[in-house]
Amino acid sequence: MHEASKKLRDSKTSSHPVSQTRVSAKSPEREKRKREINYHQFPSLFPKEDFDASVDTNSTLKESSAIHSEIQPRLFETSLIAPHQALEFADGNGNRSVVPALQTVSSDSLFASIVQRFESPCSDRVPTGNTRLVPPGNMVPCSRESSVAGAGIRKFASFTTFVEGPSNRLAVTAAQLAVQFPGRMNPVYISGSTSLGKTHLLEGIYSESRKHKGRKPVMFMSAEQFTTAFIESLTKQGVPSFRNKFRGISTLLIDDLHFFSGKASTQTELLRTIDTLRNQGVQLVITGDKPLKALTGIRPELLSRLEAGMVCEIQPPDKEMLYTIFRQMIAQRGIPLSEEVSRFVVSRLNTHARQLSGALNRLHTTFLATEKPITVATAEDVLDDLIRCNRKTVRLADIDRVVCETFGIGNQSLQSKSRAKQVAYPRMLAMWLARKYTRSALSEIGKYFGDRAHSTVVSAQKKVESWINDNTEIDCFDQQCEITDILQKVERLLQAG
């Protein structure tokens, strides 16, 4: 009887199709399912052709939900295996490795991922290769602070290392007032092109504000981080949790306002955040790469809030200010670089501070490699390609435009026959600049500026040189200005293009 029941049980097991599938660990169906959810094939779930070119990238969540309903049939019915965040693991020997964690994403909330593709700066693409998804058994999670060698916590700059000058004095004063009297001038908007110190000022505000005991915390974030956090809140903890992050702070610092361009939903949330925090007396400081009027893709309501506060622009530094910045870099690194070499570098590379930092890296490496002092000849040889790329071609038309703009006269005034003082003096200055910055012949310069003889150009050149020697004051915008100040302004405009 025992043999009969055993045969009956075996026959039932062998005749059951599901049991056969489960027993066979390497069945084709199971292997196929494994390949379909392979982690390395995840990026293919979001090919660019899945998105219609006619879809507005500034669509609201409601519109994105409609897009989701069109794409959903192409995806798995229930869930996806999606990268969530990178986890760092360390074994007992101190070896560290970064591996991505996995997160199951419900298809009902997939529409928010589509919004994230439109507005988020971060890509959900996963690096290909033989990445190990499951850490070994002897790995344990370690903190962010104990990261791989060489990486560490971000060091914020301070006001003490910021070089102040005429081109940024207004912005520096506004930043200091934001620390001393938070909420009094609100919000503060600082604009300027790249490498002029906008982020440095924000970091200075952050560092100084944290020194005040008893003051509420300070929040520093880039526009990219604000956007990413807002989009993540749509799918994870929720918008109320995102808004709670801004409660109980004394100052909010946001870098790179221009990043919000074209992101309508994020701008709406930023506008609400600004209104709420300003009503609570929280100091707001925002930076951007352009003046407010020159920004595109930013809502008028947001621009008007910023215009109501303190708006200041950082101008490009002059050569003396760049020289001070360069000498400060040299002192911080302890590089034996003479004043003569420093003057040479600044005279050839005077676009912005980051360019000087790159040049200093080359000179420092050359010094360590050769173990010889850096001379002007060595610097010229090492920085040859940078110097050649930095040479900007200046035309007579460029000088004409910049001088007319500086003195506030008509565009064709310098080429006219007028001998009035308010036109003749700027014309002589333009001729002097043409001799300095162009290779045009005397006759060509004279012909361009009102069909004058080459002797007139020679006379104008000598006249301007006497002004420079005596630092003469001449009329500029109906006021007396020193010739050295006028020349510095004109040359900065020529270099800026």
Side-chain angles (χ1 to χ4, degrees):
M1 183 168 180
H2 179 70
E3 290 292 333
S5 77
K6 183 177 181 180
K7 289 182 180 180
L8 179 61
R9 186 171 62 252
D10 293 342
S11 64
K12 287 182 179 181
T13 304
S14 61
S15 62
H16 200 293
V18 177
S19 300
Q20 290 180 356
T21 304
R22 290 178 179 174
V23 169
S24 178
K26 294 185 179 181
S27 63
E29 291 81 9
R30 184 167 181 175
E31 292 297 320
K32 183 178 179 180
R33 287 198 301 272
K34 275 187 175 182
R35 287 194 300 271
E36 285 178 341
I37 62 173
N38 191 302
Y39 182 78
H40 302 300
Q41 295 182 4
F42 175 76
S44 64
L45 298 177
F46 296 97
K48 293 184 178 179
E49 54 269 18
D50 281 347
F51 299 95
D52 188 359
S54 62
V55 176
D56 181 11
T57 57
N58 297 328
S59 57
T60 60
L61 297 179
K62 186 175 181 181
E63 294 169 341
S64 299
S65 179
I67 300 172
H68 160 245
S69 64
E70 297 178 4
I71 300 178
Q72 186 178 1
R74 306 184 189 184
L75 306 175
F76 299 122
E77 294 180 0
T78 55
S79 63
L80 304 173
I81 301 300
H84 179 40
Q85 66 181 37
L87 295 180
E88 187 178 348
F89 293 87
D91 60 13
N93 299 324
N95 299 320
R96 292 179 171 83
S97 61
V98 178
V99 297
L102 300 181
Q103 178 194 23
T104 301
V105 182
S106 172
S107 59
D108 293 334
S109 62
L110 188 59
F111 74 93
S113 299
I114 298 171
V115 179
Q116 181 172 1
R117 181 173 181 84
F118 284 138
E119 292 199 357
S120 176
C122 302
S123 173
D124 280 338
R125 300 281 179 181
V126 182
T128 58
N130 298 324
T131 306
R132 190 167 186 177
L133 301 183
V134 182
N138 64 337
M139 294 282 188
V140 294
C142 63
S143 64
R144 177 73 176 174
E145 287 74 17
S146 58
S147 56
V148 293
I153 302 174
R154 174 177 177 176
K155 294 182 179 180
F156 286 83
S158 63
F159 287 145
T160 56
T161 57
F162 191 87
V163 178
E164 183 179 347
S167 61
N168 59 23
R169 185 163 289 123
L170 183 63
V172 173
T173 304
Q176 292 172 343
L177 289 175
V179 175
Q180 297 172 6
F181 309 102
R184 181 168 298 183
M185 289 191 302
N186 218 3
V188 175
Y189 178 71
I190 302 174
S191 65
S193 59
T194 181
S195 188
L196 294 184
K198 303 184 300 296
T199 304
H200 192 143
L201 283 179
L202 282 188
E203 292 184 357
I205 295 173
Y206 178 85
S207 300
E208 294 299 321
S209 298
R210 294 189 64 187
K211 294 179 181 179
H212 290 263
K213 295 182 179 180
R215 184 175 291 186
K216 294 180 180 178
V218 181
M219 181 174 288
F220 181 105
M221 63 194 320
S222 65
E224 176 183 347
Q225 291 171 328
F226 184 95
T227 302
T228 302
F230 171 64
I231 293 173
E232 286 181 351
S233 71
L234 300 177
T235 58
K236 297 178 183 178
Q237 65 270 29
V239 176
S241 178
F242 169 78
R243 293 173 178 173
N244 286 338
K245 295 178 181 179
F246 300 98
R247 288 187 178 180
I249 62 174
S250 63
T251 305
L252 174 61
L253 311 171
I254 298 180
D255 202 9
D256 299 331
L257 175 70
H258 48 275
F259 183 84
F260 292 117
S261 178
K263 299 175 177 62
S265 300
T266 309
Q267 287 185 43
T268 301
E269 183 61 27
L270 176 63
L271 188 63
R272 193 212 65 81
T273 302
I274 290 176
D275 288 341
T276 302
L277 296 182
R278 196 170 64 169
N279 292 336
Q280 296 173 357
V282 176
Q283 178 65 57
L284 298 159
V285 185
I286 303 174
T287 67
D289 65 346
K290 296 177 182 177
L292 293 177
K293 296 297 183 182
L295 289 172
T296 57
I298 303 295
R299 292 179 55 177
E301 302 96 318
L302 184 56
L303 296 178
S304 65
R305 260 77 165 181
L306 297 177
E307 288 176 342
M310 175 64 189
V311 179
C312 44
E313 182 178 3
I314 301 178
Q315 297 292 340
D318 55 24
K319 287 185 179 181
E320 280 302 317
M321 189 172 171
L322 278 174
Y323 175 76
T324 305
I325 294 172
F326 192 55
R327 293 304 300 179
Q328 185 184 77
M329 293 178 184
I330 294 171
Q332 289 174 349
R333 300 194 189 186
I335 305 173
L337 210 63
S338 66
E339 182 178 350
E340 182 184 10
V341 176
S342 301
R343 292 284 182 187
F344 169 78
V345 174
V346 173
S347 66
R348 297 298 188 272
L349 304 174
N350 46 31
T351 304
H352 49 71
R354 288 198 181 107
Q355 190 180 48
L356 293 176
S357 178
L360 186 58
N361 288 335
R362 289 197 186 188
L363 296 176
H364 191 192
T365 305
T366 303
F367 170 74
L368 295 176
T370 61
E371 297 183 353
K372 295 180 180 179
I374 301 297
T375 62
V376 173
T378 305
E380 188 173 9
D381 182 57
V382 172
L383 307 175
D384 179 64
D385 59 324
L386 293 178
I387 294 173
R388 281 189 282 104
C389 293
N390 195 60
R391 288 182 186 139
K392 188 172 294 182
T393 303
V394 179
R395 303 169 301 169
L396 294 175
D398 297 329
I399 296 173
D400 187 3
R401 173 183 55 81
V402 169
V403 172
C404 289
E405 180 182 338
T406 303
F407 284 88
I409 56 180
N411 294 334
Q412 302 297 325
S413 299
L414 301 185
Q415 301 179 40
S416 67
K417 299 294 183 180
S418 174
R419 294 188 177 183
K421 184 178 179 180
Q422 60 268 28
V423 176
Y425 280 15
R427 185 190 293 124
M428 285 189 282
L429 181 61
M431 291 179 177
W432 181 85
L433 291 168
R435 290 291 294 163
K436 180 179 179 180
Y437 286 101
T438 71
R439 296 184 178 181
S440 302
L442 293 172
S443 57
E444 185 180 355
I445 297 173
K447 184 176 181 180
Y448 182 88
F449 291 106
D451 199 16
R452 286 170 168 77
H454 73 280
S455 58
T456 305
V457 180
V458 174
S459 176
Q461 188 174 0
K462 293 179 179 179
K463 185 71 172 177
V464 173
E465 287 175 354
S466 66
W467 290 347
I468 296 173
N469 293 332
D470 300 335
N471 201 15
T472 307
E473 293 185 351
I474 60 176
D475 291 330
C476 181
F477 273 110
D478 297 329
Q479 61 180 353
Q480 293 288 314
C481 298
E482 294 181 353
I483 187 64
T484 53
D485 295 337
I486 296 174
L487 278 176
Q488 287 178 0
K489 182 178 180 180
V490 170
E491 289 177 337
R492 277 202 308 267
L493 293 173
L494 284 175
Q495 293 167 6

